[in-house]
Amino acid sequence: MTAPFIPELDVSEIQNLLPKYKDIVAYAQGGQGTVFRGISQMGVPVAIKIYSPDQTLTRAELEVKKLQKVQSPYMVTLIESGYLTVRRKQAFYSITRFEHGKDLRRILNDHGALSESEVGILIMDICNAIDELWKAKVVHCDIKPDNVLQGADGHFLLIDLGLAKHLDARTITQYGLTMGTLGYMAPEQMVGRRNYTLRVDLFALGIVAYEALTGVHPFGNNQMLIGSRDTKIAPISSLINVDRNLERVIMRLLQWNVLMRPKSGIDVINMIRR
Amino acid sequence: MFLLNLGYRWGSGFSLDVDGYVINPSGINKEQAARRDNLDLTDTQCLLFDPQMYLSILDGAVHSRTCENLATYPWFGVETPTFNSSEMNTRDWMSQVREQVNWHPVIPTDENNIRNVIRECVEFQKEFGATHLIVPTPLVDNDDDEFGTQLKWLNAAADLKGRFSQPMFATVAISDYLLSARDPHENPLLQTILDNISVSDFEGAYVVVLQADAPRVRITSKRIAQSLLFMSRVIQRSSKAVFINYADDLGHACIAAGATGFASGTSFKSRRLCLSDFEDRTGGSTFPRLYSHSLIGDFSMEDLGQIRDERLLRYIGSDATPIAEPLYAALKARGSAHDVPAWRPSKNNVTAANKHRVMLMAQKARELVQLDETAQLNSVLHWLQEAEAHGRLLASRFSDNPLDEDGTHVEVWGKAFQIHLDTVEPNFI
């Protein structure tokens, strides 16, 4: 994985760029950007993510006003976002409330697959977050295990709103951006379709849920296989003993044909509760 | 559910045994429409007012009469003289409109103005007494835009939704060429439209297909027919209602596919949405035709004579209505339509034929909606197959002297429905 900044960003650079935040410390580094922790003027712990300048152009003009209004117990709260001049380049940044917990990627790596009941909770919690986002016509676009946090109460939280795309008509019509992470992008996202809906998030959630339940990625982490309508996904019941209803729900989320997927998170929740 | 398209003035106490009406501003100006008290609605009938925003593409020089009517509605943004009932009657006012109107619709592109136009339009509909509100959207005439323009309108309307108690329907008005190039399940534009409509907060969709030019009254493109069936199914699956307009009795098949209802009428303009029908023409006369649901056609009186002579009247036996009974009786007695004044084949003697058509369409739609889903599919499959088989026999019998109603569409619809069953209802045998 290429580091987003070479040499790495250090705390003093961020402190100068964002002077209203204090006690900034380095937290994590990924392919897309570098994450710092800090404290806001109100004393709220925050996560500051500075995206690689290479990603800035494709994420230009993102509308965030509506995103800032989206409140859900199942989603991290966006405090602010915008652009910073980092080493003479424009870099996109987002500042969210810092949430304690462990991301699903680490959980799966450290402890293996989740139980059926945990996956049920995962699906319902993230569906709630997806519905809340969609009320503001926002799709997250980057649901993956790294962006799902499990708190101490066992509930799950969607984090990293840096890619969230507000479906404002201007951004839709001017930019046919393909955003997301390979291996978790819905077929229609992959072909660069514009004006997509929350169903891209439901598809990604299907992958995450399948992976969390079985420990394996349904498409072998191969985005090309997701793009092909002929790809057959191994039934979950061929890998593990599973509740038939839970399997049915996950397979509905993973429908290649967008129109065959559920139309809302609440529909999925109702299917789970059946 | 069958709704009758009304695009012209109606007389006092106008009432027909249909499930409702769709009022079309292309045929009636705002002040005439406002006098809707004449329309005698029952409690169960619904009333829709289609804003026809999709007709903003009309050319004022070629379609002037239609544009004059449309211009009187505020959502087209065309300046017209103010109507003052104490100073003028609607006829005088409309004369002024004709003299002064300059048809250059102003279709807003920014969010605030779009919202204002939509608000004005749906408030008009509410005031009009519409039971369902139709959200105006411009015509989908460009697949590069991927429904982006229309989504701006629908998103703006969604913000207003809480202010109205009536169910709101999203207009999906699309040019025929965007549907005829690909099968519906392979059509990315259609997928985008249906994806967005099915996850929207609207209670339903109001679907119309605009034909640039059409050689026949009924749709003869297999893919357009398939697309209408597909749209009906997908939108219904998302727990929303669907009204199909301007597809004539193909709408009957759409009900089996999932549509809540369809609208049609008796004239070309009220049966299909075709640009050429709006061109300014004078004169034009019509002769009575008998609508046959069984054969899916409208037969001239001469056609009926030929059918009778071949002893095939039973093919239309189930299409008799009280209005058509005298005609049937005359034909069975080896007489002709000339013996029945209401059906005499003379110019514009179409009142009985029109009433029969409307009554029969409504009756058949009611019979269909009473069936369960599988029985509806069976019923329509049987209807189309029988009509095709009978149509082929008629064509072979009259190869030397073909009927005026050639039934070209029947085979097309039959194939479209078969493909629909194969692709969308694979478990249906």
Side-chain angles (χ1 to χ4, degrees):
Chain A
M1 188 184 294
T2 314
F5 296 94
I6 301 172
E8 286 177 26
L9 287 177
D10 67 37
V11 169
S12 62
E13 285 178 280
I14 302 306
Q15 194 69 74
N16 288 335
L17 291 165
L18 297 164
K20 63 182 175 182
Y21 294 94
K22 58 184 183 181
D23 299 338
I24 294 176
V25 294
Y27 184 70
Q29 181 171 286
Q32 295 174 336
T34 307
V35 184
F36 296 86
R37 278 181 62 180
I39 305 287
S40 75
Q41 286 172 321
M42 306 291 285
V44 176
V46 295
I48 302 165
K49 185 164 182 177
I50 312 289
Y51 287 82
S52 162
D54 299 337
Q55 301 203 22
T56 307
L57 285 177
T58 55
R59 281 163 203 144
E61 300 291 329
L62 285 176
E63 281 269 353
V64 292
K65 282 179 192 162
K66 286 195 177 181
L67 196 54
Q68 280 172 279
K69 289 180 190 162
V70 178
Q71 298 287 332
S72 164
Y74 305 105
M75 194 174 63
V76 71
T77 308
L78 181 69
I79 295 169
E80 65 169 286
S81 68
Y83 296 95
L84 294 169
T85 305
V86 182
R87 297 175 187 168
R88 286 183 284 178
K89 285 185 176 176
Q90 288 286 291
F92 183 75
Y93 77 98
S94 67
I95 299 179
T96 56
R97 203 183 161 95
F98 184 87
E99 301 288 349
H100 292 277
K102 202 170 180 182
D103 75 61
L104 186 56
R105 173 70 66 211
R106 273 176 63 199
I107 295 170
L108 296 177
N109 286 345
D110 296 349
H111 307 290
L114 302 184
S115 68
E116 279 182 15
S117 62
E118 280 179 310
V119 172
I121 293 169
L122 164 75
I123 293 172
M124 290 194 284
D125 289 352
I126 302 305
C127 276
N128 273 313
I130 290 170
D131 273 359
E132 280 305 314
L133 283 167
W134 183 245
K135 280 181 193 164
K137 291 289 174 284
V138 173
V139 284
H140 186 280
C141 289
D142 198 24
I143 293 178
K144 57 183 178 181
D146 316 65
N147 287 340
V148 174
L149 209 67
Q150 188 178 31
D153 62 355
H155 279 278
F156 294 86
L157 189 75
L158 193 54
I159 61 167
D160 197 345
L161 301 175
L163 286 184
K165 186 179 178 191
H166 170 222
L167 295 177
D168 174 84
R170 276 170 303 176
T171 53
I172 299 165
T173 52
Q174 290 178 5
Y175 303 96
L177 308 181
T178 300
M179 304 198 296
T181 300
L182 289 176
Y184 294 89
M185 290 186 341
E188 66 271 22
Q189 211 175 345
M190 203 181 150
V191 295
R193 196 193 101 181
R194 291 178 290 176
N195 304 334
Y196 40 72
T197 66
L198 81 169
R199 281 167 162 154
V200 302
D201 285 344
L202 292 177
F203 183 85
L205 174 61
I207 296 178
V208 171
Y210 188 108
E211 200 175 355
L213 191 60
T214 63
V216 294
H217 190 289
F219 301 96
N221 218 8
N222 184 339
Q223 186 66 46
M224 295 309 289
L225 289 179
I226 296 177
S228 166
R229 70 164 63 188
D230 298 326
T231 300
K232 297 271 184 281
I233 302 169
I236 297 172
S237 49
S238 70
L239 303 172
I240 57 168
N241 283 326
V242 63
D243 172 75
R244 290 285 175 182
N245 187 46
L246 183 61
E247 178 177 35
R248 190 174 61 90
V249 171
I250 295 173
M251 297 313 263
R252 277 287 305 279
L253 293 171
L254 287 171
Q255 286 287 327
W256 185 90
N257 182 345
V258 63
L259 302 175
M260 299 297 284
R261 280 175 232 149
K263 69 179 193 305
S264 67
I266 190 68
D267 281 4
V268 181
I269 292 169
N270 289 334
M271 286 165 69
I272 291 260
R273 286 180 175 154
R274 231 174 258 162
Chain B
M1 185 183 273
F2 171 74
L3 310 181
L4 178 65
N5 273 324
L6 286 179
Y8 46 85
R9 260 187 296 183
W10 47 88
S12 180
F14 183 90
S15 173
L16 280 173
D17 187 21
V18 293
D19 300 309
Y21 303 95
V22 182
I23 312 300
N24 296 284
S26 53
I28 184 168
N29 68 58
K30 182 180 152 224
E31 296 306 327
Q32 288 171 334
R35 282 149 187 72
R36 74 154 207 91
D37 305 356
N38 289 336
L39 202 55
D40 196 8
L41 280 183
T42 66
D43 291 344
T44 56
Q45 285 179 317
C46 63
L47 179 63
L48 274 61
F49 187 97
D50 175 357
Q52 297 195 299
M53 178 64 90
Y54 49 81
L55 289 183
S56 60
I57 59 158
L58 291 185
D59 181 340
V62 182
H63 312 108
S64 67
R65 288 170 70 180
T66 303
C67 295
E68 285 157 7
N69 281 327
L70 294 175
T72 61
Y73 294 89
W75 48 91
F76 289 99
V78 179
E79 255 185 58
T80 53
T82 308
F83 175 70
N84 185 337
S85 61
S86 62
E87 292 175 4
M88 62 184 92
N89 59 30
T90 53
R91 188 174 294 183
D92 294 338
W93 170 71
M94 203 52 204
S95 298
Q96 287 185 21
V97 171
R98 280 189 201 104
E99 283 168 19
Q100 296 176 30
V101 76
N102 184 13
W103 175 254
H104 289 291
V106 179
I107 308 300
T109 53
D110 70 287
E111 202 175 316
N112 281 338
N113 284 328
I114 288 174
R115 190 175 295 111
N116 290 339
V117 167
I118 292 172
R119 185 187 296 118
E120 197 163 20
C121 180
V122 291
E123 272 172 1
F124 177 91
Q125 293 178 50
K126 185 184 162 189
E127 195 67 23
F128 182 78
T131 53
H132 302 63
L133 304 177
I134 299 179
V135 176
T137 62
L139 180 71
V140 182
D141 197 26
N142 167 13
D143 52 1
D144 290 341
D145 184 45
E146 295 188 34
F147 201 52
T149 301
Q150 291 70 26
L151 276 176
K152 269 171 106 170
W153 286 70
L154 295 178
N155 289 340
D159 294 343
L160 299 169
K161 202 172 169 301
R163 299 185 188 190
F164 300 92
S165 57
Q166 293 86 347
M168 258 191 187
F169 280 56
T171 299
V172 178
I174 186 164
S175 284
D176 55 354
Y177 82 96
L178 294 170
L179 298 177
S180 55
R182 293 183 192 222
D183 285 341
H185 52 281
E186 302 283 355
N187 186 334
L189 173 66
L190 194 56
Q191 187 189 68
T192 302
I193 293 171
L194 292 174
D195 185 15
N196 277 280
I197 294 291
S198 57
V199 303
S200 74
D201 292 330
F202 298 110
E203 280 81 3
Y206 173 79
V207 178
V208 300
V209 176
L210 180 73
Q211 298 174 273
D213 195 16
R216 292 183 166 81
V217 184
R218 289 180 172 89
I219 288 168
T220 52
S221 157
K222 188 179 72 181
R223 280 181 171 145
I224 293 175
Q226 272 178 260
S227 298
L228 287 169
L229 295 167
F230 187 66
M231 284 193 264
S232 301
R233 185 68 181 122
V234 171
I235 299 171
Q236 183 250 6
R237 260 191 194 154
S238 64
S239 312
K240 294 187 193 308
V242 193
F243 283 112
I244 304 286
N245 201 351
Y246 297 113
D248 206 27
D249 43 3
L250 175 59
H252 186 81
C254 291
I255 287 181
T260 315
F262 71 101
S264 187
T266 54
S267 64
F268 276 25
K269 272 187 191 174
S270 58
R271 291 171 61 190
R272 67 178 184 183
L273 188 63
C274 180
L275 285 180
S276 57
D277 291 342
F278 295 108
E279 289 171 11
D280 298 327
R281 291 192 196 100
T282 51
S285 51
T286 52
F287 289 84
R289 284 173 171 268
L290 178 83
Y291 171 63
S292 165
H293 177 81
S294 316
L295 293 175
I296 318 178
D298 291 83
F299 295 89
S300 69
M301 297 303 116
E302 290 73 21
D303 285 348
L304 294 176
Q306 284 182 255
I307 292 171
R308 187 266 324 273
D309 292 346
E310 282 296 319
R311 297 182 177 81
L312 292 170
L313 272 182
R314 67 179 183 282
Y315 280 8
I316 57 168
S318 62
D319 297 320
T321 60
I323 296 164
E325 279 297 352
L327 175 65
Y328 275 70
L331 290 168
K332 282 175 189 164
R334 313 239 14 117
S336 79
H338 288 278
D339 306 325
V340 188
W343 290 88
R344 194 167 289 147
S346 53
K347 197 173 166 182
N348 296 332
N349 182 32
V350 293
T351 306
N354 287 350
K355 282 190 173 173
H356 162 80
R357 186 172 214 276
V358 168
M359 186 182 284
L360 187 56
M361 278 197 170
Q363 178 193 317
K364 295 296 177 183
R366 277 186 202 135
E367 288 169 12
L368 186 63
V369 296
Q370 280 168 6
L371 305 175
D372 67 31
E373 206 173 290
T374 306
Q376 283 186 13
L377 292 170
N378 261 319
S379 167
V380 167
L381 182 64
H382 183 258
W383 172 55
L384 293 168
Q385 287 175 340
E386 290 279 298
E388 187 178 339
H390 290 167
R392 283 189 176 170
L393 181 68
L394 290 175
S396 80
R397 287 294 167 92
F398 303 123
S399 55
D400 294 337
N401 184 20
L403 298 177
D404 201 32
E405 172 60 88
D406 69 3
T408 309
H409 55 279
V410 178
E411 195 175 329
V412 174
W413 295 4
K415 279 184 185 157
F417 198 74
Q418 190 69 47
I419 295 168
H420 177 76
L421 292 176
D422 292 345
T423 54
V424 182
E425 311 282 355
N427 298 323
F428 181 82
I429 305 294

